[in-house]
Amino acid sequence: MAFAQSFYNQNSGLRISVMVVDDDPVFLQIMSRMLEKSKYRDPSIMEITVIAVKDSREALSTLQIQRNNIDLIVTDYYMPGMNGLQLKKEITREFGNLPVIVISSDSNKEQESLTCGAMCFIPKPIKATDLTKIYQLAITYKRNGKSILWTEHNHQDTDHVTIPQQIQLLPEQANVLKTKKKRKFSPRSVPRSLNSSNGSCVSTDGSRKNRKRSGDDVESLSKPAKKSKISWSDYLHDLFLQAIRHIGLDKAVPKKILEFMNVDYLTRENVASHLQKYRQFLRKVAERGVCCSSMLSGRGIDSIFAYAHITEPYYNNYTATTSWYDTSLNNRSFYSKPGHGFGQSRLLSNPREPIRSNQMPYNYMNRSSTYQPLRNGSSLTLPISGNLNFPTQPSENGGRRSFFESTGVANYTGQTSQVLGFGQHGPLAINDNNFENNTVSSCGSLTPNQPGSVSHGSLTPNKSDLSSHGSFNPNHQGNSSHGSLSTSNQPGMSSYGSSTSNQPGISSHGSLTPNQPGLTSHGSLTSNHLGMSFYGDSTPNLPTMNSYESLTSNPQGLNSYGCVTPNPGLNNVGSLTPNPGLNNVGSSTPNQPGASHLLYGIELFLNNENTASMPQPHANATTEPNLGIPELENLSLYDDLGNINELPCDISNFQLDNNKQPQEEAVSTTQFELPASFPTELNEIFSPGEEGDWTFVNINQGHSDGETSNIFAAPETNSPIININPNQIQERDDPDFIDWSLLDPQDLANEFDFMDSLFNNDMN
Amino acid sequence: MDALVAQLQMQFRDYTISLYQQGFLDDQFTELKKLQDDGSPDFVAEVLSLFFEDCVKLIGNMARALDQTGTVDFSQVGASVHQLKGSSSSVGAKRVKGLCVTFKEYCEAKNYEGCVRCLQQVDIEYKALKTKLQDMFNLEKQIIQAGGRVPQVDIN
């Protein structure tokens, strides 16, 4: 808790400002009071300010005035004029991804709210336990915002720094703080209780550094800095990476990098030290058996960068020894600009959930999502038309060939990483690719790593699944990358962001790692075995559906914030981490049973080989995880969408590259079946916001001509909603409150078994 | 005086418990009480007055909506019912809330008589609750005036 404490001490605590919108004055008063009083529950909160407004119009105008002061919005659903969801959309449209919680006495609205992108849904009457959720959300978001934004460090401002709407920080925004390198915070791997309101969880060296950095920032913030300290914001780091890419790692010297970056407040020394760290990081990654170096240097980097500037793969993982660069993976995605066309970044940037990874130095977080290029339709992105093919699981299978040969070498040992790109571009180079074909993957890069390669934006479809977007990185061990989708091991669909199924590895941020049959989506899923999963990771272990943000099922390990680790249960929200490891704030660990209550609206469709092909939608992990088969009729896509039952995107855009994989078809179609309604459901899950940044890919059930890849791109406004397979839920967690610190040892067992089987299966 | 205080306190306790037992109040009310402290000693009273005012307003809306000659706009009635349901659940007015649930169903079924009946009942209920709570507050006041402290009543 060193960080938290230091943060607290230094920074005079955290001040959160919440806006409550409700036409019922009684409720407004009660809610305001409850929130104000709830600060006493959490020592790190100094103050909670509540702004109460009676209707949506007023809410919007208040937001306009006090945009930076508001950390969270709680809105009623039924209101005259604009209802809560409409308000939410409007807010997102005008102000970016502010976290919005929807409340209503009508609990039927939950589904819809979550679909719409609300961070969560709380039924009225509000209980004290709900408050915890609320303010923790606010804290997380705020903290993340701060780290990302490194605002001018201005003592007063820091309290109000919030939601970073865009990851890219302008140079002016970058904080220039003093560097206090000597300062180190104490143990990084101190397990943090989930309930810590301090979302940072240190799990590795990197985190220590991160922490140090954040700590430094905090400290500097509290007093006027005399020296200028550079904080490597996402933006800066991206620039740095671009520079390296441009120059070539081998030839990268601080001077050239500095020139390239062209940031005036940056000194050569800053760059030099950063470069050094970066190199160290790479080295570590390489040592881990992944040959990142190849990737990083030369081709790898180039290829990677070829695609939409996906940041270095190493970003993903966070290994115990990696430098803090790794941590970036974790959080990375969530902060990307809303508006990114790129699915990957979208995923990664989960607007809603300010997931924090454990370690987080926010700088790195969300690095990966700075996919600017994405925005421009860089090749990377997603779901665009491309071939997604993903090969498979990296496991040690001998016979696997990497699907994408174009750029890389299919190497079992994971030498080259090949990243799949879309259509035109070759695969990104990432580590090893042992792809198994079964799945359809798309977008970004695929990196089926064996020994842990880091890939960024890689997809690694393991078995037959659909992976999409971002990168998948089914690592065996090793680092997963950021923005990778890790293969869904069994039949599953992962999508978006990255999924990384690592064995021992570190998973990265924005990765999805659907282990068994599950659908994971969004953000990242990382099923690590031992690793650290991070932020924005979701790791659906068993047949679960994970969604959103991250799910990380680590058997042990640190989970990071914003991770969802559904064990056999449904997980949702922010993060769920069923681990025996450290979990962080914002993580929910649905252990065995259960649907975690966290509901941030994740509905996972479980696409499970083992189970019926019929997806079991929503067991929304809401208060009652419905174990029954949800009536699909209730699902409703957004009206705005116009096309309710169609995929927003044109399916024809996604062409699986069947040519490349002879086996693919067979495999893909057999592995799992998607129910016919799946696309619809998926749509609903990933309900696109009006802005429609998401590209929906239809998950091909094999109906169409052998195309099996569908990718879901996360809508910019929504977090993917994944239905959790109710079948998997055995018990229910307390519906009212998720004990995030709950770590169930059973999970451990499950995960391990699962992971083992997962990887073993792939090997066939 | 102590005897008086003690007696008043006991009366208060019994009375409060009876309100819960009779279903007038529920846990949410307990929560509400917890929000009151020395910093805001009248919080509960304020909220409740707001609630009752709200009741009057909403019931008025509903009555007007139901009283239309011609077609009754049930959605409007429903909206008001919903709001009332929300407020009553927030304050812990259990009976009122229960009635609202039924009322809502009638609205959805567009059952005019049902709605009217519910409306009448809601009216009676909230007034009854108001009276009871007023009595309770009076007791509290008396305790304080007698120099005592209002006891925390544990409803279990």
Side-chain angles (χ1 to χ4, degrees), chain A residues 168-186:
Chain A
Q168 335 249 326
L169 297 178
L170 299 174
E172 307 82 78
Q173 291 175 347
N175 245 344
V176 177
L177 302 176
K178 281 163 81 136
T179 336
K180 294 184 184 155
K181 301 237 164 133
K182 322 152 219 143
R183 200 99 50 83
K184 285 247 179 198
F185 286 136
S186 40

Side-chain angles (χ1 to χ4, degrees), chain A residues 149-155 157-158 172-176 221:
Chain A
L149 264 199
W150 294 129
T151 54
E152 268 9 290
H153 71 292
N154 197 330
H155 205 332
D157 286 353
T158 51
E172 307 82 78
Q173 291 175 347
N175 245 344
V176 177
L221 289 176

Side-chain angles (χ1 to χ4, degrees), chain A residues 575-590:
Chain A
S575 43
L576 298 180
T577 316
N579 276 138
L582 300 179
N583 289 320
N584 286 323
V585 165
S587 326
S588 55
T589 313

Side-chain angles (χ1 to χ4, degrees), chain B residues 77-121:
Chain B
V77 185
S80 298
V81 175
H82 179 80
Q83 241 203 311
L84 186 60
K85 179 179 164 210
S87 351
S88 56
S89 67
S90 302
V91 294
K94 192 170 171 185
R95 280 201 192 176
V96 177
K97 179 185 156 206
L99 265 178
C100 285
V101 174
T102 319
F103 197 159
K104 204 168 180 193
E105 287 168 17
Y106 281 126
C107 279
E108 280 161 17
K110 302 202 197 273
N111 180 337
Y112 183 79
E113 285 81 20
C115 284
V116 172
R117 252 181 300 131
C118 277
L119 182 62
Q120 287 166 346
Q121 271 182 294

Side-chain angles (χ1 to χ4, degrees), chain A residues 158-418:
Chain A
T158 51
D159 285 335
H160 298 301
V161 171
T162 42
I163 304 118
Q165 286 180 339
Q166 309 190 349
I167 302 192
Q168 335 249 326
L169 297 178
L170 299 174
E172 307 82 78
Q173 291 175 347
N175 245 344
V176 177
L177 302 176
K178 281 163 81 136
T179 336
K180 294 184 184 155
K181 301 237 164 133
K182 322 152 219 143
R183 200 99 50 83
K184 285 247 179 198
F185 286 136
S186 40
R188 43 182 199 98
S189 334
V190 174
R192 278 171 200 283
S193 107
L194 277 181
N195 289 328
S196 156
S197 60
N198 172 11
S200 63
C201 185
V202 178
S203 46
T204 61
D205 288 335
S207 66
R208 182 200 312 150
K209 288 195 194 161
N210 290 337
R211 237 191 313 161
K212 169 191 70 162
R213 209 158 266 273
S214 328
D216 283 346
D217 282 341
V218 171
E219 289 163 27
S220 321
L221 289 176
S222 51
K223 28 194 192 278
K226 291 185 186 150
K227 301 184 284 186
S228 67
K229 168 180 168 175
I230 264 290
S231 96
W232 280 84
S233 63
D234 281 352
Y235 171 75
L236 287 183
H237 188 74
D238 280 340
L239 267 184
F240 175 82
L241 294 178
Q242 281 179 42
I244 298 241
R245 174 168 35 114
H246 179 80
I247 305 171
L249 187 66
D250 316 350
K251 300 202 273 304
V253 281
K255 180 151 175 267
K256 284 193 191 157
I257 296 174
L258 190 62
E259 275 166 20
F260 184 91
M261 286 175 69
N262 202 16
V263 173
D264 41 0
Y265 56 81
L266 217 51
T267 68
R268 200 197 69 80
E269 289 73 26
N270 295 138
V271 177
S273 70
H274 193 77
L275 180 62
Q276 188 184 44
K277 290 188 187 142
Y278 181 79
R279 287 207 165 110
Q280 284 168 6
F281 169 77
L282 296 182
R283 230 175 285 132
K284 287 188 184 138
V285 168
E287 281 162 22
R288 290 194 132 234
V290 176
C291 76
C292 291
S293 47
S294 63
M295 158 171 66
L296 295 173
S297 52
R299 176 200 350 192
I301 297 186
D302 290 348
S303 51
I304 293 174
F305 290 117
Y307 285 100
H309 317 249
I310 302 189
T311 47
E312 277 85 7
Y314 63 82
Y315 265 50
N316 317 341
N317 283 348
Y318 203 96
T319 40
T321 53
T322 20
S323 72
W324 53 279
Y325 285 75
D326 296 345
T327 54
S328 61
L329 281 189
N330 296 336
N331 282 328
R332 212 25 186 18
S333 56
F334 291 77
Y335 299 96
S336 60
K337 248 204 243 190
H340 252 284
F342 193 130
Q344 179 168 17
S345 60
R346 202 61 213 94
L347 258 193
L348 303 180
S349 50
N350 183 354
R352 253 172 304 213
E353 172 70 10
I355 299 186
R356 280 198 62 169
S357 65
N358 308 336
Q359 313 82 11
M360 287 333 104
Y362 285 114
N363 317 2
Y364 268 95
M365 287 221 221
N366 306 333
R367 275 309 164 111
S368 45
S369 342
T370 320
Y371 294 112
Q372 313 177 333
L374 298 183
R375 247 172 277 137
N376 326 326
S378 56
S379 51
L380 248 198
T381 35
L382 298 177
I384 316 229
S385 49
N387 287 310
L388 312 175
N389 284 311
F390 272 152
T392 68
Q393 181 75 269
S395 35
E396 358 184 350
N397 344 215
R400 312 266 163 104
R401 300 196 27 129
S402 143
F403 194 44
F404 306 92
E405 309 248 37
S406 36
T407 42
V409 175
N411 223 333
Y412 303 134
T413 40
Q415 274 359 85
T416 10
S417 35
Q418 199 161 118

